[in-house]
Amino acid sequence: MTSDSARTQLIAQARRTIEHVEQGTIPLVDDTMTIPVSRYQDQERWAREVDIVFKRTPLMLGFSIEIPNPGDYKAMDVVGVKVIITRGVDGQVRSFVNMCSHRGAQLVDEGTGSTRRFACPYHNWNYDNEGTLVGVTNRQDFGEVDTSCLGLTPLPTAERCGLLWVVLTPGAEMDIDAHLGGYAEMLDHFDFGDRWYSLGNQQIPGPNWKLAYDGYLDFYHIPFLHRDTFGPDFSSRPIYDAWGPHQRMTAFSESLLKFKDVPDDEIDLELIDGGVWTIFPHVSIAGFPVGNRGLMVSQLFPGPTPDTSITIQNFLTDTEPDDELRELAKKTAAFYDHVVRDEDYFTGIRIGQNIETGAKSQFLFGRNEGGGQTFHRYLDQLLA
Ligand SMILES: [Fe+2]
């Protein structure tokens, strides 16, 4: 559902873009910014990012529509933490470390499924969707065990805006409202909870996660790096809006001029809510031209080493998929795999290799690259 406030903000942003297009300008931040190159792949700094940012911040790990019914679950490996997210018989979403209390085996493989019992493949101990240990194999032989203390290890979890949020540290705080702030109503505008059909996902290995994320917040490069794909039709002049660390990036685009004289209450928000929407520290929401409307939601995670990352691209459409639509989705997904893998991440991996030479001590962000500035500044604050 779109709140009045979200509607007001979307229209104000469109009107501001129209003014800028008429003037031939974009909003600029006060100054250029330099950041030390060591911020990217320095081992010690990167380990702190994983511990403080990725293991303490609520991460968007999935969509409510992926586990709609009691018993449904999704299992993932996120920065080395194996997670099960599951919906209980009470409808509530919980998540657990995917690890048996007996001797630590992984209970289920990564992926989605539905079950009322997670049975450990090692010795067949059983847990329900609330993480309670409900079955000890050959219990008459095993000896004394207090099953009430041997449930799965819970992780702080929330379901909000039709999305599934998890903090990867047991016992840590989960304050999803504080994390999202005013951005929650902007996410609510997308109706993730009930509007969309999933068209699957695909994974792409990439460079250092910040080199990848810089690209998601960057329209400056689009006509150049993507000259052979979708770049030539795009503006290289971005316009940023921020809600705390979460940002929207739109383009200096003449396409909005047609709304100049349209009264606010006659504007179809679907026509002005485009661009790239990010969720700090690791999600990008962009268009996916399949069905009446589609979205590509990319989840970016640090890989096992500072110079690697893994991205899960999730594809959604609001049109009930038939075979033809699924075929189109497959082709379009293959195109985005190519663009991100062979253009964005190919470049990012080479940047990472260049960083290792030590030839440059700092990188630059221009006044027109306020999104990258906001991201790196916020990250620094969080780590300070
Ligand atoms: Fe790009």
Side-chain angles (χ1 to χ4, degrees), residues 215 221-222 225-226 344:
H221 77 284
I222 302 269
L225 185 61
H226 302 300
D344 291 308

Side-chain angles (χ1 to χ4, degrees), residues 55-286:
K55 293 193 176 168
R56 295 274 168 183
T57 306
L59 301 180
M60 197 291 274
L61 294 191
F63 304 88
S64 298
I65 56 170
E66 288 180 286
I67 53 168
N69 302 308
D72 292 350
Y73 72 87
K74 177 180 188 183
M76 306 173 74
D77 183 319
V78 186
V79 295
V81 181
K82 296 170 196 303
V83 183
I84 303 175
I85 310 167
T86 183
R87 196 178 293 280
V89 285
D90 55 357
Q92 199 185 319
V93 175
R94 297 174 180 82
S95 51
F96 305 98
V97 180
N98 188 357
M99 177 183 192
C100 183
S101 305
H102 176 215
R103 291 247 287 285
Q106 181 173 335
L107 300 173
V108 286
D109 293 335
E110 275 98 52
T112 54
S114 192
T115 183
R116 292 293 166 94
R117 292 285 181 269
F118 295 105
C120 179
Y122 197 2
H123 302 92
N124 201 40
W125 282 30
N126 275 231
Y127 303 84
D128 67 14
N129 300 92
E130 285 165 31
T132 308
L133 174 60
V134 291
V136 173
T137 308
N138 297 350
R139 188 157 183 177
Q140 74 282 7
D141 304 331
F142 193 85
E144 206 49 37
V145 278
D146 181 359
T147 54
S148 69
C149 303
L150 291 171
L152 300 177
T153 302
L155 293 169
T157 305
E159 185 172 29
R160 193 63 50 86
C161 307
L163 303 169
L164 309 173
W165 307 84
V166 178
V167 177
L168 294 177
T169 302
E173 189 193 8
M174 158 65 85
D175 190 343
I176 189 62
D177 295 321
H179 177 60
L180 292 176
Y183 202 55
E185 63 185 351
M186 307 313 290
L187 291 176
D188 275 334
H189 164 70
F190 287 100
D191 278 339
F192 284 111
D194 49 20
R195 175 172 173 187
W196 306 91
Y197 300 89
S198 172
L199 293 167
N201 59 64
Q202 60 192 16
Q203 295 200 10
I204 305 178
N208 171 276
W209 75 275
K210 292 176 280 5
L211 291 173
Y213 206 68
D214 283 349
Y216 287 101
L217 285 168
D218 185 326
F219 274 174
Y220 193 21
H221 77 284
I222 302 269
F224 316 109
L225 185 61
H226 302 300
R227 65 179 71 78
D228 297 328
T229 50
F230 65 90
D233 302 331
F234 268 77
S235 166
S236 60
R237 303 180 76 190
I239 297 176
Y240 296 99
D241 287 284
W243 295 258
H246 315 296
Q247 302 194 61
R248 179 192 186 193
M249 175 175 64
T250 45
F252 174 95
S253 162
E254 289 176 3
S255 67
L256 287 178
L257 288 176
K258 59 178 175 285
F259 296 107
K260 181 173 161 56
D261 298 317
V262 178
D264 286 358
D265 56 4
E266 288 173 30
I267 292 182
D268 178 357
L269 294 184
E270 299 264 304
L271 301 174
I272 63 161
D273 67 356
V276 174
W277 294 80
T278 65
I279 305 171
F280 180 86
H282 70 132
V283 170
S284 145
I285 303 164

Side-chain angles (χ1 to χ4, degrees), residues 32 45 123 142 223 232 287 292 380:
T32 59
R45 155 101 185 186
H123 302 92
F142 193 85
N292 171 54
D380 285 354

Side-chain angles (χ1 to χ4, degrees), residues 220-369:
Y220 193 21
H221 77 284
I222 302 269
F224 316 109
L225 185 61
H226 302 300
R227 65 179 71 78
D228 297 328
T229 50
F230 65 90
D233 302 331
F234 268 77
S235 166
S236 60
R237 303 180 76 190
I239 297 176
Y240 296 99
D241 287 284
W243 295 258
H246 315 296
Q247 302 194 61
R248 179 192 186 193
M249 175 175 64
T250 45
F252 174 95
S253 162
E254 289 176 3
S255 67
L256 287 178
L257 288 176
K258 59 178 175 285
F259 296 107
K260 181 173 161 56
D261 298 317
V262 178
D264 286 358
D265 56 4
E266 288 173 30
I267 292 182
D268 178 357
L269 294 184
E270 299 264 304
L271 301 174
I272 63 161
D273 67 356
V276 174
W277 294 80
T278 65
I279 305 171
F280 180 86
H282 70 132
V283 170
S284 145
I285 303 164
F288 183 63
V290 172
N292 171 54
R293 186 170 192 190
L295 294 176
M296 175 171 79
V297 182
S298 304
Q299 299 164 292
L300 167 68
F301 301 105
T305 55
D307 57 343
T308 61
S309 63
I310 191 81
T311 298
I312 306 171
Q313 294 178 330
N314 304 274
F315 305 102
L316 306 175
T317 182
D318 67 352
T319 305
E320 188 166 6
D322 56 14
D323 288 351
E324 194 185 337
L325 192 125
R326 286 196 186 279
E327 201 44 47
L328 175 65
K330 237 165 107 181
K331 282 195 187 120
T332 313
F335 173 73
Y336 282 105
D337 179 288
H338 165 62
V339 168
V340 173
R341 187 189 298 262
D342 303 328
E343 295 180 348
D344 291 308
Y345 290 178
F346 173 81
T347 302
I349 288 166
R350 284 181 158 188
I351 294 171
Q353 291 163 348
N354 269 341
I355 286 173
E356 294 306 312
T357 66
K360 300 281 183 199
S361 59
Q362 53 189 27
F363 286 164
L364 291 162
F365 286 83
R367 296 182 64 197
N368 58 338
E369 297 183 284

